[in-house]
Amino acid sequence: MNNKIVLTGIKPTGIPHLGNLVGVIDPLIKLSYDTKRTFAFIADLHALNDVKARANIKSNTYEVAISMLAFNPDPEKFILFRQSDIAEVSQLSSLLMNVTSKGLMNKAHAYKAFVDKNIANGFDKDAGINMGLFTYPILMAADILLYNADLVPLGQDQRQHLEFTRDIAAAFNHAYKENVFKLPEALISEKTGIMMPGLDGRKMSKSYDNYINIFCAEDVLKKKIMKIKTDSKTPAEPKNPDESIIFAIYQNFASPDETKNMRDRFLNGGLGYGTAKQELFELINSRLKGLRNIYQNLINDKKHVDNVLKRGAEIAGEIAQKNLKKVKQVMLG
Ligand code: TRP
């Protein structure tokens, strides 16, 4: 692992929540310690095709950047930058268009879902679809291929994009009879057993309004945890931990011993939901307490964040320039 280059992009579509922490931020920072280099960028260009996301790109870019910096990644190995700061990525994306078939893009899940919705509503099939959405997978391939990434941590919903990246890379190598791009591999987070439900038991997500922000105030954290859905079992009754949202969230933060202890107490009866929620609150709060200040200080020191992003863009930019030059050489002589 220690010679691998890791890369992932995070769209600035909102304030990161506990699901993002457990599913994306934590594993990424951990992985960065065991690998050669990690490129983590805020995929602001990818947010542009969505009108709703467009309004808050700048503030959400800071939110995402700060949420990662608060966990203190090694600045030598963890290269944090803003996608749009690297002009080369847009150029590589347009170059890659020439080896990407339109038919491949027609198969993209996100595009197809849009088309299906249009048809169901009796609209023209491409109504409201811009080329940013249609070519989204090509820009994503450019992101990944520009930095020679080996491993790309992703959610299950992004698996197809990685397949497309590999297809595009292989099509390029084939067309130009040279191994210019290496084929990256996906690291799918769901496979590692992470299941982070929201307050209502569905996957924690902005769109369900069932989330808890990572750095929310202590009283907000408590109030939200107290809102977690439960059934009406009395404290004395034994409970199945695997059917409990409280337990499912708890496992994501607890040590194996703590998890086993809570599991046994669910099974044995005698643990009321109120007490379990209080313990869940204390566990999460103990982990995040010290970080709230760090987060707040960073929010108040955008200059520092700008500097980190600038430095990240310098490092990423150097590699991008070198690799784009090579691609242009192969394509244009
Ligand atoms: N499409 C990804 C998402 O929606 C974000 C993303 C953009 C990305 N470029 C990337 C992820 C490159 C990994 C690699 O989550």
Side-chain angles (χ1 to χ4, degrees):
M1 283 288 256
N2 57 10
N3 60 347
K4 299 284 188 201
I5 295 173
V6 177
L7 173 142
T8 205
I10 301 170
K11 274 206 280 185
T13 48
I15 298 178
H17 54 62
L18 294 181
N20 304 130
L21 171 60
V22 166
V24 182
I25 299 173
D26 252 355
L28 189 65
I29 290 181
K30 275 205 197 95
L31 195 58
S32 73
Y33 284 105
D34 299 332
T35 45
K36 186 169 166 198
R37 203 171 224 186
T38 294
F39 294 96
F41 62 87
I42 296 129
D44 54 354
L45 296 174
H46 271 120
L48 286 173
N49 71 74
D50 175 352
V51 181
K52 282 200 281 313
R54 207 139 65 196
N56 299 314
I57 288 178
K58 190 151 188 201
S59 61
N60 285 336
T61 294
Y62 282 117
E63 289 288 347
V64 172
I66 289 170
S67 298
M68 288 198 267
L69 290 179
F71 290 92
N72 202 23
D74 177 349
E76 294 300 316
K77 294 180 84 178
F78 192 89
I79 313 302
L80 182 67
F81 63 103
R82 197 191 325 244
Q83 183 188 28
S84 62
D85 281 342
I86 309 296
E88 284 79 5
V89 80
S90 301
Q91 197 172 352
L92 180 59
S93 180
S94 29
L95 292 171
L96 292 177
M97 302 242 173
N98 303 293
V99 295
T100 306
S101 72
K102 176 169 177 290
L104 188 70
M105 295 301 99
N106 287 341
K107 286 191 217 150
H109 297 321
Y111 169 69
K112 267 175 44 185
F114 225 115
V115 167
D116 289 347
K117 206 169 101 197
N118 278 336
I119 292 171
N121 289 331
F123 300 149
D124 178 85
K125 80 179 186 27
D126 282 324
I129 299 177
N130 57 50
M131 290 304 285
L133 175 72
F134 189 64
T135 60
Y136 185 110
I138 309 177
L139 178 59
M140 187 156 157
D143 284 331
I144 297 169
L145 299 175
L146 189 57
Y147 306 101
N148 306 316
D150 296 295
L151 299 173
V152 185
L154 287 167
Q156 180 68 36
D157 62 329
Q158 296 292 313
R159 179 189 285 278
Q160 189 195 37
H161 284 145
L162 208 274
E163 292 299 324
F164 283 1
T165 298
R166 293 170 59 95
D167 290 343
I168 293 169
F172 185 99
N173 291 346
H174 181 76
Y176 290 97
K177 298 187 180 48
E178 201 176 318
N179 266 336
V180 174
F181 295 123
K182 62 180 159 190
L183 272 48
E185 275 174 45
L187 276 182
I188 304 288
S189 57
E190 280 81 350
K191 279 214 175 149
T192 53
I194 293 163
M195 164 47 189
M196 183 69 179
L199 306 179
D200 58 358
R202 292 184 289 176
K203 183 182 166 164
M204 188 176 282
S205 160
K206 229 140 266 145
S207 39
Y208 297 146
D209 199 17
N210 63 357
Y211 60 90
I212 303 175
N213 286 337
I214 304 174
F215 303 105
C216 68
E218 194 170 301
D219 58 328
V220 176
L221 176 65
K222 187 157 190 174
K223 232 182 4 222
K224 292 232 176 181
I225 288 177
M226 292 305 157
K227 272 202 222 153
I228 294 174
K229 238 165 92 180
T230 58
D231 58 28
S232 56
K233 287 201 177 70
T234 65
E237 279 178 80
K239 303 168 183 72
N240 182 351
D242 298 321
E243 285 172 3
S244 165
I245 304 166
I246 305 170
F247 184 74
I249 299 177
Y250 188 86
Q251 313 189 61
N252 283 307
F253 294 92
S255 68
D257 280 352
E258 288 166 330
T259 304
K260 179 167 180 338
N261 181 283
M262 172 79 85
R263 170 177 282 282
D264 290 346
R265 287 158 67 223
F266 261 81
L267 291 169
N268 294 340
L271 175 66
Y273 288 130
T275 309
K277 285 180 177 178
Q278 181 64 29
E279 289 181 24
L280 174 61
F281 162 72
E282 275 160 21
L283 180 67
I284 298 181
N285 196 45
S286 69
R287 170 141 190 236
L288 296 178
K289 207 162 38 191
L291 296 170
R292 286 194 193 105
N293 260 342
I294 298 175
Y295 169 82
Q296 210 48 55
N297 289 341
L298 288 166
I299 284 281
N300 294 331
D301 190 3
K302 299 257 168 62
K303 264 226 170 74
H304 172 72
V305 183
D306 284 336
N307 281 336
V308 172
L309 292 174
K310 192 166 156 238
R311 172 91 189 106
E314 279 164 13
I315 296 171
E318 231 175 84
I319 298 165
Q321 277 165 29
K322 207 173 100 216
N323 286 338
L324 179 67
K325 198 169 159 195
K326 190 164 145 202
V327 173
K328 286 174 77 176
Q329 180 76 41
V330 170
M331 291 182 91
L332 298 162

